[in-house]
Amino acid sequence: MEKDADGFYSPIADSAAPKEDDKAQPAPNSELIKSTFEVSVTLADQQGDPNSPLYSAKTFEELGLHQDLLKGIYDMGFSKPSKIQERALPLLLANPPTNMIGQSQSGTGKTAAFVLTMLSRVDFTKNKPQALCLAPSRELARQIMSVVVAMGKFTSVQTEYAIKDNLARDSGPVTAHIIVGTPGTMSDLMRKRIIDVSEIKVFVLDEADNMLDQDGLGDQTLRVKNMLPRDHPVQILLFSATFPDHVRSFASKFAPGANKIELKKEELSISGIRQFYMDCKNEDDKYDILVRLYALLTVGQSIIFCQHKHTADRISARMSAEGHKVASLHGAKDPAERDSIIDNFRDGREKVLITTNVIARGIDILQVNMVVNYDLPLMYERNSGGGGPGGAFDKPDIETYIHRIGRTGRFGRRGISINFVHDKRTWQQMDQIEKATGRKIMRIETNDIDEMEQKMKEALK
Ligand SMILES: Nc1ncnc2c1ncn2[C@@H]1O[C@H](COP(=O)(O)OP(=O)(O)OP(=O)(O)O)[C@@H](O)[C@H]1O
């Protein structure tokens, strides 16, 4: 079976496929919630709470960073390290270099830990690639690059992208120190020797469980690793908020002898994200409820996740036709369009983004205070007996759920997630998610608009 650009197997019927009578009907305005509250983006002082993943007993100065990098960190407005930064950085920067498997909840600052390591290990006098970083989407690669550039502002770091359409096929060898990209393009450029790997010292996988998963990007990532030099050690860093059991042992082989920072199952999701569900009557009702939520979705910014790109396109086309301003983003759009959509959303020019799992991981936009799982994230289960030949998308994808809701509640902020459930199957799937994450998912009435607004107000306080 072929996987599409969003990493899904494609020949699965979209349960929310358009129906003949599905033509856009303007939603009565009376149904729209009038938003009467402001978003309070209060950054609770969790950096002083020893139980918080943002807590640290140390300062950045104590972590052994170069003066130029400290300047970059403070210039970004960071004052104290988070727990993962405090614990990981001394291990990451120690000599001889040791591999690392680092796990920490979404939005707790893993990026800074690996970016500071790359910047610390580069010899700026040599114009050759010395650190490679892979991410599962171009959007995340671009975001990581912005952190490299910001943290390296007071160094002479040179950077380059290994993402689709960035380098011409006949480009000369890349002389940049740090290259950030997606695995397919990275391996392509390495094979063509546009990227010379002879001086590579650090190899980072962000969203490592996804990058190593054989049902995901595993093959492409392995191809990159197999092209790395063998005449000197390369420090391998794997970071993610999740490391499911089936990836964990492979991760240990991929990064042998790694220092490990791990989370317990009950620590996986963030307490600042309040989780809700709405009991929808059927597929069509999901759409109507989303439209009714529109005013709340635009109080801050929100991301609506669908299982399929055609669902994302269909909902956004219908909402736009009804006069609501929304954008849609998925892997079938061309790279330039993807860049402009995410940039518009990042800059707040768009408030509602309807998307697929393509941006479920890593994307850090602090103003996002609401995530809607229009469709719950599902994984392909072979031989589940639930439909297609040999398997079906029946099982909830717990890791993707944790990453999706983690697009809100970043670095101590508050956020809301809402799951739409509409039949017995989706109920059961949500029940499994609740059990696996150990966090209560509260009901919100769909027909009591005041209650809906009140609950959200409280959750964001
Ligand atoms: N020490 C710090 N002080 C203040 N803000 C920080 C600090 N470290 C990171 N941040 C900010 O916190 C936010 C989340 O960080 P980051 O994107 O690295 O999270 P993450 O752990 O990689 O999350 P995810 O698992 O979702 O990828 C970013 O906006 C980042 O700038």
Side-chain angles (χ1 to χ4, degrees), residues 295-453:
L296 288 180
L297 299 175
T298 53
V299 169
Q301 280 181 271
S302 29
I303 304 181
I304 321 298
F305 285 105
C306 305
Q307 179 82 346
H308 300 288
K309 50 197 162 214
H310 45 96
T311 315
D313 277 341
R314 187 169 46 83
I315 298 173
S316 69
R318 199 172 155 188
M319 286 183 81
S320 303
E322 291 170 16
H324 303 301
K325 198 166 171 334
V326 297
S328 102
L329 173 63
H330 52 67
K333 299 207 182 245
D334 74 65
E337 196 184 357
R338 282 172 68 165
D339 293 352
S340 93
I341 294 167
I342 195 77
D343 292 348
N344 281 339
F345 187 64
R346 206 178 273 287
D347 296 345
R349 287 189 291 274
E350 294 284 356
K351 297 235 171 184
V352 180
L353 187 64
I354 305 180
T355 187
T356 59
N357 284 340
V358 72
I359 61 152
R361 285 171 173 261
I363 295 304
D364 177 62
I365 299 174
L366 302 177
Q367 313 87 285
V368 172
N369 57 4
M370 206 179 296
V371 167
V372 175
N373 284 310
Y374 189 87
D375 299 316
L376 290 174
L378 301 177
M379 61 201 285
Y380 190 76
E381 193 179 26
R382 285 179 185 85
N383 300 316
S384 67
F393 276 101
D394 260 351
K395 212 174 139 199
D397 183 343
I398 309 292
E399 280 72 35
T400 301
Y401 180 85
I402 290 167
H403 288 276
R404 278 187 183 183
I405 68 170
R407 290 323 95 217
T408 184
R410 313 281 301 161
F411 213 81
R413 287 163 181 82
R414 292 201 178 274
I416 290 175
S417 71
I418 306 175
N419 300 323
F420 284 2
V421 291
H422 70 284
D423 60 10
K424 192 170 164 210
R425 203 170 59 109
T426 46
W427 262 98
Q428 286 166 344
Q429 287 157 350
M430 193 180 67
D431 189 53
Q432 288 173 45
I433 291 172
E434 197 174 38
K435 289 201 174 90
T437 56
R439 295 241 180 229
K440 191 91 194 118
I441 306 177
M442 311 284 285
R443 182 189 171 111
I444 303 187
E445 286 295 335
T446 56
N447 52 6
D448 186 342
I449 288 169
D450 289 342
E451 190 210 339
M452 210 188 285
E453 184 167 356

Side-chain angles (χ1 to χ4, degrees), residues 47 60 78-82 85 105-112 143 207 241 362 364 366 407 410-411:
Q47 289 204 273
F60 279 115
F78 295 7
S79 50
K80 275 183 77 178
S82 65
Q85 292 162 0
Q105 295 90 338
S106 56
T108 55
K110 294 183 283 297
T111 317
Q143 179 182 294
E207 309 300 340
D364 177 62
L366 302 177
R407 290 323 95 217
R410 313 281 301 161
F411 213 81

Side-chain angles (χ1 to χ4, degrees), residues 12-73:
I12 300 294
D14 178 9
S15 53
K19 300 189 180 71
E20 267 317 304
D21 60 349
D22 213 10
K23 299 276 182 306
Q25 293 291 327
N29 271 343
S30 58
E31 287 218 306
L32 287 178
I33 303 167
K34 301 279 180 297
S35 108
T36 57
F37 66 93
E38 296 292 314
V39 204
S40 61
V41 193
T42 44
L43 216 170
D45 187 23
Q46 295 183 38
Q47 289 204 273
D49 170 6
N51 296 317
S52 161
L54 308 183
Y55 173 79
S56 166
K58 293 210 175 112
T59 61
F60 279 115
E61 276 82 359
E62 291 170 85
L63 299 180
L65 292 157
H66 190 277
Q67 209 50 38
D68 293 342
L69 296 178
L70 286 174
K71 274 200 231 164
I73 292 167

Side-chain angles (χ1 to χ4, degrees), residues 71-359:
K71 274 200 231 164
I73 292 167
Y74 293 129
D75 193 61
M76 286 177 79
F78 295 7
S79 50
K80 275 183 77 178
S82 65
K83 198 169 271 177
I84 184 72
Q85 292 162 0
E86 176 201 273
R87 291 180 64 195
L89 277 164
L91 297 168
L92 290 165
L93 302 180
N95 283 315
T98 307
N99 295 339
M100 158 81 66
I101 299 177
Q103 185 181 14
S104 163
Q105 295 90 338
S106 56
T108 55
K110 294 183 283 297
T111 317
F114 64 75
V115 165
L116 289 168
T117 311
M118 291 197 289
L119 286 165
S120 299
R121 298 249 176 236
V122 164
D123 174 351
F124 298 112
T125 63
K126 277 190 191 164
N127 290 332
K128 277 203 160 195
Q130 295 165 55
L132 301 181
C133 174
L134 293 182
S137 66
R138 72 181 284 115
E139 287 75 13
L140 185 52
R142 292 177 72 232
Q143 179 182 294
I144 292 168
M145 187 65 98
S146 71
V147 179
V148 173
V149 170
M151 290 197 162
K153 184 174 164 189
F154 300 95
T155 71
S156 48
V157 70
Q158 300 291 319
T159 60
E160 189 58 85
Y161 281 119
I163 54 177
K164 220 170 165 190
D165 288 2
N166 183 59
L167 284 171
R169 299 180 81 81
D170 54 355
S171 295
V174 169
T175 54
H177 306 121
I178 297 181
I179 306 178
V180 183
T182 48
T185 308
M186 186 77 84
S187 68
D188 211 34
L189 295 171
M190 287 163 80
R191 210 166 21 83
K192 290 181 185 139
R193 302 191 190 281
I194 294 173
I195 295 176
D196 169 2
V197 294
S198 61
E199 299 279 339
I200 297 293
K201 292 188 267 194
V202 187
F203 178 42
V204 181
L205 299 186
D206 193 13
E207 309 300 340
D209 55 331
N210 189 218
M211 304 298 292
L212 294 175
D213 194 341
Q214 286 311 300
D215 281 338
L217 296 160
D219 292 348
Q220 295 178 29
T221 304
L222 208 52
R223 219 168 291 151
V224 172
K225 186 185 180 218
N226 288 338
M227 283 188 267
L228 293 179
R230 286 161 204 266
D231 59 350
H232 65 262
V234 174
Q235 186 180 21
I236 299 175
L237 314 181
L238 310 183
F239 278 89
S240 183
T242 54
F243 279 97
D245 293 342
H246 71 278
V247 179
R248 222 173 257 272
S249 57
F250 183 53
S252 301
K253 284 189 204 127
F254 194 92
N259 287 311
K260 291 182 184 169
I261 298 176
E262 294 177 335
L263 291 177
K264 298 190 197 87
K265 272 211 166 75
E266 61 275 15
E267 295 172 326
L268 281 178
S269 60
I270 287 281
S271 59
I273 307 168
R274 299 284 301 279
Q275 300 181 53
F276 297 101
Y277 74 89
M278 288 186 169
D279 190 5
C280 311
K281 292 191 199 88
N282 49 43
E283 246 336 304
D284 284 347
D285 196 35
K286 285 174 31 176
Y287 177 80
D288 294 338
I289 290 171
L290 186 67
V291 171
R292 254 184 275 155
L293 275 176
Y294 183 79
L296 288 180
L297 299 175
T298 53
V299 169
Q301 280 181 271
S302 29
I303 304 181
I304 321 298
F305 285 105
C306 305
Q307 179 82 346
H308 300 288
K309 50 197 162 214
H310 45 96
T311 315
D313 277 341
R314 187 169 46 83
I315 298 173
S316 69
R318 199 172 155 188
M319 286 183 81
S320 303
E322 291 170 16
H324 303 301
K325 198 166 171 334
V326 297
S328 102
L329 173 63
H330 52 67
K333 299 207 182 245
D334 74 65
E337 196 184 357
R338 282 172 68 165
D339 293 352
S340 93
I341 294 167
I342 195 77
D343 292 348
N344 281 339
F345 187 64
R346 206 178 273 287
D347 296 345
R349 287 189 291 274
E350 294 284 356
K351 297 235 171 184
V352 180
L353 187 64
I354 305 180
T355 187
T356 59
N357 284 340
V358 72
I359 61 152

